[in-house]
């Protein structure tokens, strides 16, 4: 699936109609959730059937296209099945019992309820929500109209701080001819550099969030000074939301470009399979980690890997920064020690460079399968806390993953 995104231009009344559709989606999702809570054993199919019941009982729900209603019910099911999965796997900690939503920002149509105009620059929504005809504004190079309508599987309308957007999910066999380079590489993602590869190259950290932090802080302060429910407060909140959106887009852009560059210049990429959600729970590190946006980078890396048909392999993180990449001696070091100095063979190497070599070597040795020896340690060689022990769980090689959704 490829995702194309456009900004939407329409009238105020049309935007209000989109808001209404978004509210209906939330209403249906929450109603489905309520049904599941109230009657045990409700399954996905029951939720689908409940959609048409709702449409008959509640006049405003009927205005939304029937497939979009089903997509709303699917969302409820996604939340429910995630909860079931967590219970089944006996995931430690909270299981994520589904919650009612009140901040929904999008509505998803499937293959009905909308049509592309022949000019390829407009889309018309044809259901009872009266959204009507909207202009698509976007990069001239992306031509959604070039795809047969059949291949457009989903159309999603999204409300953001700076306007309304339309995403198209297109099923296509897009493949890029990969020019073989014969180069294999291991990458270590760290805090000092965004990543270091096994050849010793580094990509520096763009600390968008840090740079923008000053401005965000100022905007936060401005917001807190405004009177509750005043028009000025609303304005200040909007400014703040826009500032956050900007940071988010810069981060996405960086993640995508870094991944694309790396993929097009290598035939195999190995990375450490860090469980980012777990790391984020370590509060000391949280800010710099979320700042560096590893998660977005990894999903783009896998996405481009599939597109180029090259292997992107996750290896287990145990001891990659401790072991010597030349002789295998385990040299214990704390996070603050930035250089690997081997007591066995005398090798002196940058800590992250040494780790990246180990990561690549692990692929050849184990094919990316887990290799647990001794106590689990985190990526920086610190003694592990309980949260980090989850990292040691084996994970199969990831040749393919879902495409990233912007
Ligand atoms: Zn050594």
């Amino acid at each position: 699936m490829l995702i194309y995104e456009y900004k939407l231009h329409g009238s105020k009344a049309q935007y209000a109609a989109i808001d209404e559709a978004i509210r209906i989606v939330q209403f249906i999702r929450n109603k489905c959730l309520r049904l599941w809570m109230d009657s045990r054993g409700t399954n996905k199919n029951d939720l689908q059937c409940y959609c048409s019941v709702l449409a008959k009982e509640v006049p405003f729900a009927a205005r939304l296209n029937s497939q979009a209603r089903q997509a709303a019910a699917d969302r409820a099911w996604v939340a429910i099945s995630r909860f079931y999965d967590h219970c089944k796997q006996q995931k430690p900690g909270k299981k994520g019992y589904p919650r009612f939503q009140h901040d929904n920002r999008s509505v998803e149509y499937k293959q009905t309820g909308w049509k592309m105009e022949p000019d390829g620059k407009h889309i018309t929504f044809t259901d009872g929500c009266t959204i009507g005809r909207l202009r698509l504004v976007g990069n001239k190079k992306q031509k959604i109209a070039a795809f047969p309508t059949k291949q457009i599987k989903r159309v999603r309308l999204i409300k953001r701080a700076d306007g309304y957007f339309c995403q198209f999910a297109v099923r296509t066999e897009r493949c890029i001819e990969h020019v073989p380079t014969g180069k294999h590489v291991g990458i270590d993602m760290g805090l000092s550099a965004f990543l270091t590869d096994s050849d010793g190259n580094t990509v520096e950290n763009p600390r968008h969030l840090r740079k923008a932090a000053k401005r965000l802080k100022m905007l936060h302060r401005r917001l807190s000074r405004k009177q509750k429910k005043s028009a000025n407060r609303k304005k200040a909140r909007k400014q703040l939301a826009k500032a956050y959106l900007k940071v988010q887009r810069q981060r996405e852009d960086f993640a995508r470009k870094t991944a694309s560059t790396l993929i097009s210049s290598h035939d195999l990429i190995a990375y450490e399979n860090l469980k980012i959600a777990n790391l984020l729970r370590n509060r000391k590190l949280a800010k710099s980690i979320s700042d560096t946006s590893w998660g977005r980078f990894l999903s783009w890396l896998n996405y481009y890997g599939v597109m180029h048909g090259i292997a992107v392999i996750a290896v287990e993180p145990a001891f990659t920064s401790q072991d010597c990449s030349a002789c295998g001696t385990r040299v214990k070091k704390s996070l603050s020690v930035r250089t690997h100095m081997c007591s066995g063979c005398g090798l002196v190497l940058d800590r992250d460079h040494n780790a990246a070599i180990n990561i690549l070597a692990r692929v050849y040795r184990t094919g990316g399968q887990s290799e647990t020896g001794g106590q689990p340690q985190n990526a920086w060689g610190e003694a592990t806390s309980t949260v980090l022990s989850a990292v040691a769980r084996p994970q199969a090689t990831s040749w393919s993953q879902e495409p990233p959704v912007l």
Side-chain angles (χ1 to χ4, degrees):
M1 288 278 208
L2 287 176
I3 310 285
Y4 287 91
E5 184 173 301
Y6 292 87
K7 190 158 191 204
L8 290 169
H9 280 194
S11 67
K12 269 195 177 160
Q14 288 181 303
Y15 294 148
I18 297 177
D19 286 342
E20 173 69 7
I22 289 173
R23 266 195 300 275
I24 297 173
V25 168
Q26 179 171 289
F27 171 79
I28 293 173
R29 181 199 177 274
N30 288 346
K31 273 289 197 182
C32 285
L33 196 55
R34 170 53 68 193
L35 179 76
W36 171 78
M37 286 170 173
D38 289 348
S39 41
R40 277 185 90 142
T42 305
N43 62 30
K44 189 176 180 184
N45 195 35
D46 297 335
L47 295 188
Q48 294 287 335
C49 298
Y50 187 49
C51 280
S52 46
V53 176
L54 272 179
K56 276 184 204 115
E57 282 176 358
V58 192
F60 70 81
R63 275 187 248 150
L64 185 67
N65 171 273
S66 66
Q67 288 188 355
R69 290 200 298 262
Q70 288 183 351
D74 288 344
R75 289 188 187 185
W77 188 252
V78 166
I80 294 165
S81 60
R82 188 187 303 134
F83 169 64
Y84 279 151
D85 284 349
H86 288 173
C87 293
K88 229 181 274 167
Q89 294 162 3
Q90 300 187 315
K91 194 175 179 242
K94 289 189 178 168
K95 304 287 182 287
Y97 189 79
R99 295 213 232 177
F100 292 111
Q101 192 185 23
H102 23 231
D103 57 352
N104 180 36
R105 287 158 167 271
S106 65
V107 50
E108 200 168 278
Y109 288 82
K110 294 184 180 176
Q111 293 187 282
T112 58
W114 57 273
K115 68 173 199 289
M116 286 294 294
E117 300 288 320
D119 65 0
K121 288 176 187 146
H122 294 83
I123 183 168
T124 304
F125 289 86
T126 53
D127 61 353
C129 287
T130 63
I131 296 170
R133 183 169 181 266
L134 293 157
R135 193 155 71 88
L136 301 168
V137 182
N139 189 332
K140 284 196 181 102
K141 277 191 225 152
Q142 58 173 17
K143 288 195 168 64
I144 188 66
F147 293 101
T149 313
K150 253 190 184 167
Q151 270 171 259
I152 303 175
K153 298 293 180 192
R154 290 274 198 285
V155 176
R156 191 184 294 142
L157 296 174
I158 303 164
K159 182 186 188 175
R160 297 210 182 102
D162 60 350
Y164 292 82
F165 294 80
C166 185
Q167 283 184 345
F168 296 89
V170 185
R171 168 146 304 156
T172 162
E173 301 294 313
R174 183 176 168 195
C175 269
I176 288 174
E177 203 184 329
H178 185 73
V179 183
T181 56
K183 281 199 276 187
H184 293 182
V185 77
I187 54 174
D188 178 68
M189 289 174 286
L191 296 175
S192 51
F194 179 75
L195 65 85
T196 305
D197 72 16
S198 48
D199 300 322
N201 305 313
T202 56
V203 174
E204 288 309 314
N205 244 317
R207 297 185 187 265
H208 303 308
L209 211 60
R210 293 274 164 83
K211 273 191 215 153
K214 248 189 176 168
R215 183 172 157 73
L216 290 174
K217 206 170 162 191
M218 184 268 287
L219 291 170
H220 267 294
R221 207 164 42 226
R222 195 183 280 173
L223 177 66
S224 67
R225 276 203 302 260
K226 300 288 185 247
Q227 209 138 61
K228 290 245 162 91
K229 290 182 181 167
S230 69
N232 276 334
R233 189 185 169 87
K234 217 174 168 184
K235 228 186 277 173
R237 182 173 320 125
K238 188 141 199 185
Q239 269 188 324
L240 182 64
K242 276 190 186 176
Y244 269 113
L245 205 58
K246 190 179 168 196
V247 174
Q248 195 190 326
R249 288 193 179 126
Q250 285 176 329
R251 183 189 290 164
E252 188 72 31
D253 199 46
F254 168 77
R256 188 171 50 77
K257 282 182 180 150
T258 311
S260 163
T261 310
L262 204 65
I263 291 278
S264 50
S265 53
H266 295 93
D267 292 349
L268 181 147
I269 291 166
Y271 67 92
E272 223 166 17
N273 186 23
L274 302 166
K275 292 267 158 51
I276 290 154
N278 288 334
L279 292 174
L280 285 176
R281 262 183 252 153
N282 185 339
R283 300 183 68 195
K284 233 181 174 175
L285 296 172
K287 193 167 161 59
S288 25
I289 295 175
S290 56
D291 196 344
T292 51
S293 56
W294 293 338
R296 300 306 304 144
F297 166 72
L298 288 180
S299 53
W300 280 112
L301 196 66
N302 282 290
Y303 175 75
Y304 282 119
V306 172
M307 206 186 269
H308 283 244
I310 80 163
V312 175
I313 298 169
V315 304
E316 287 306 308
F319 299 113
T320 46
S321 61
Q322 308 279 303
D323 292 354
C324 175
S325 56
C327 70
T329 308
R330 188 153 295 164
V331 186
K332 296 237 166 183
K333 41 179 133 14
S334 73
L335 183 59
S336 58
V337 179
R338 303 306 314 163
T339 310
H340 167 80
M341 276 182 282
C342 184
S343 51
C345 69
L347 178 74
V348 178
L349 206 60
D350 174 73
R351 172 202 181 92
D352 297 336
H353 185 185
N354 179 59
I357 297 173
N358 282 333
I359 289 166
L360 182 60
R362 198 156 292 197
V363 171
Y364 299 139
R365 214 165 48 234
T366 65
Q369 289 303 308
S370 90
E371 175 199 54
T372 29
Q375 264 196 311
Q377 295 205 334
N378 75 13
W380 298 285
E382 290 179 316
T384 38
S385 59
T386 43
V387 251
L388 285 162
S389 60
V391 167
R393 230 180 284 141
Q395 176 103 9
T397 52
S398 55
W399 291 84
S400 65
Q401 268 180 12
E402 294 257 305
V405 172
L406 298 168

mmCIF file of all heavy atoms in Angstrom, residues 324-329 331 340 342-347, ligand 1:
data_model
loop_
_atom_site.group_PDB
_atom_site.id
_atom_site.type_symbol
_atom_site.label_atom_id
_atom_site.label_comp_id
_atom_site.label_asym_id
_atom_site.label_seq_id
_atom_site.Cartn_x
_atom_site.Cartn_y
_atom_site.Cartn_z
ATOM 1 N N CYS A 324 33.774 -7.047 22.040
ATOM 2 C CA CYS A 324 34.749 -6.513 21.094
ATOM 3 C C CYS A 324 34.442 -7.057 19.703
ATOM 4 O O CYS A 324 34.251 -8.253 19.520
ATOM 5 C CB CYS A 324 36.162 -6.916 21.506
ATOM 6 S SG CYS A 324 37.406 -6.406 20.312
ATOM 7 N N SER A 325 34.408 -6.162 18.712
ATOM 8 C CA SER A 325 34.053 -6.598 17.362
ATOM 9 C C SER A 325 35.199 -7.337 16.685
ATOM 10 O O SER A 325 35.017 -7.992 15.665
ATOM 11 C CB SER A 325 33.635 -5.392 16.532
ATOM 12 O OG SER A 325 34.659 -4.427 16.530
ATOM 13 N N ALA A 326 36.396 -7.247 17.254
ATOM 14 C CA ALA A 326 37.538 -7.935 16.651
ATOM 15 C C ALA A 326 37.766 -9.317 17.267
ATOM 16 O O ALA A 326 37.939 -10.296 16.556
ATOM 17 C CB ALA A 326 38.792 -7.078 16.806
ATOM 18 N N CYS A 327 37.732 -9.403 18.611
ATOM 19 C CA CYS A 327 38.089 -10.676 19.226
ATOM 20 C C CYS A 327 36.981 -11.258 20.105
ATOM 21 O O CYS A 327 37.085 -12.389 20.563
ATOM 22 C CB CYS A 327 39.375 -10.528 20.043
ATOM 23 S SG CYS A 327 39.131 -9.544 21.531
ATOM 24 N N GLY A 328 35.920 -10.499 20.344
ATOM 25 C CA GLY A 328 34.803 -11.050 21.098
ATOM 26 C C GLY A 328 34.887 -10.928 22.602
ATOM 27 O O GLY A 328 33.982 -11.346 23.319
ATOM 28 N N THR A 329 35.971 -10.356 23.121
ATOM 29 C CA THR A 329 36.082 -10.161 24.564
ATOM 30 C C THR A 329 34.981 -9.219 25.050
ATOM 31 O O THR A 329 34.693 -8.214 24.388
ATOM 32 C CB THR A 329 37.446 -9.522 24.924
ATOM 33 O OG1 THR A 329 38.471 -10.296 24.320
ATOM 34 C CG2 THR A 329 37.648 -9.467 26.429
ATOM 35 N N VAL A 331 33.818 -6.380 27.119
ATOM 36 C CA VAL A 331 34.389 -5.262 27.863
ATOM 37 C C VAL A 331 33.245 -4.436 28.433
ATOM 38 O O VAL A 331 32.560 -3.727 27.705
ATOM 39 C CB VAL A 331 35.261 -4.364 26.943
ATOM 40 C CG1 VAL A 331 35.968 -3.301 27.754
ATOM 41 C CG2 VAL A 331 36.265 -5.204 26.167
ATOM 42 N N HIS A 340 35.349 2.221 22.850
ATOM 43 C CA HIS A 340 35.577 0.820 23.183
ATOM 44 C C HIS A 340 37.084 0.578 23.176
ATOM 45 O O HIS A 340 37.753 0.805 22.168
ATOM 46 C CB HIS A 340 34.873 -0.070 22.154
ATOM 47 C CG HIS A 340 35.291 -1.507 22.213
ATOM 48 N ND1 HIS A 340 34.792 -2.370 23.145
ATOM 49 C CD2 HIS A 340 36.160 -2.209 21.454
ATOM 50 C CE1 HIS A 340 35.347 -3.567 22.955
ATOM 51 N NE2 HIS A 340 36.175 -3.500 21.949
ATOM 52 N N CYS A 342 39.639 -2.490 23.975
ATOM 53 C CA CYS A 342 39.604 -3.920 24.262
ATOM 54 C C CYS A 342 40.804 -4.328 25.119
ATOM 55 O O CYS A 342 41.950 -4.007 24.808
ATOM 56 C CB CYS A 342 39.595 -4.710 22.961
ATOM 57 S SG CYS A 342 39.434 -6.472 23.259
ATOM 58 N N SER A 343 40.487 -5.062 26.176
ATOM 59 C CA SER A 343 41.556 -5.555 27.038
ATOM 60 C C SER A 343 42.158 -6.836 26.455
ATOM 61 O O SER A 343 43.241 -7.258 26.828
ATOM 62 C CB SER A 343 41.008 -5.828 28.435
ATOM 63 O OG SER A 343 39.845 -6.644 28.336
ATOM 64 N N GLY A 344 41.446 -7.450 25.507
ATOM 65 C CA GLY A 344 41.923 -8.698 24.902
ATOM 66 C C GLY A 344 42.906 -8.451 23.763
ATOM 67 O O GLY A 344 44.018 -8.996 23.752
ATOM 68 N N CYS A 345 42.502 -7.625 22.767
ATOM 69 C CA CYS A 345 43.336 -7.464 21.572
ATOM 70 C C CYS A 345 43.842 -6.043 21.382
ATOM 71 O O CYS A 345 44.564 -5.750 20.430
ATOM 72 C CB CYS A 345 42.566 -7.906 20.332
ATOM 73 S SG CYS A 345 41.203 -6.807 19.935
ATOM 74 N N GLY A 346 43.424 -5.135 22.269
ATOM 75 C CA GLY A 346 43.941 -3.780 22.191
ATOM 76 C C GLY A 346 43.215 -2.884 21.199
ATOM 77 O O GLY A 346 43.644 -1.756 20.950
ATOM 78 N N LEU A 347 42.108 -3.367 20.635
ATOM 79 C CA LEU A 347 41.346 -2.558 19.671
ATOM 80 C C LEU A 347 40.780 -1.313 20.337
ATOM 81 O O LEU A 347 40.224 -1.381 21.431
ATOM 82 C CB LEU A 347 40.200 -3.408 19.088
ATOM 83 C CG LEU A 347 39.273 -2.697 18.087
ATOM 84 C CD1 LEU A 347 39.959 -2.517 16.744
ATOM 85 C CD2 LEU A 347 37.973 -3.458 17.932
HETATM 86 ZN ZN1 LIG B 1 39.281 -7.369 21.211
#
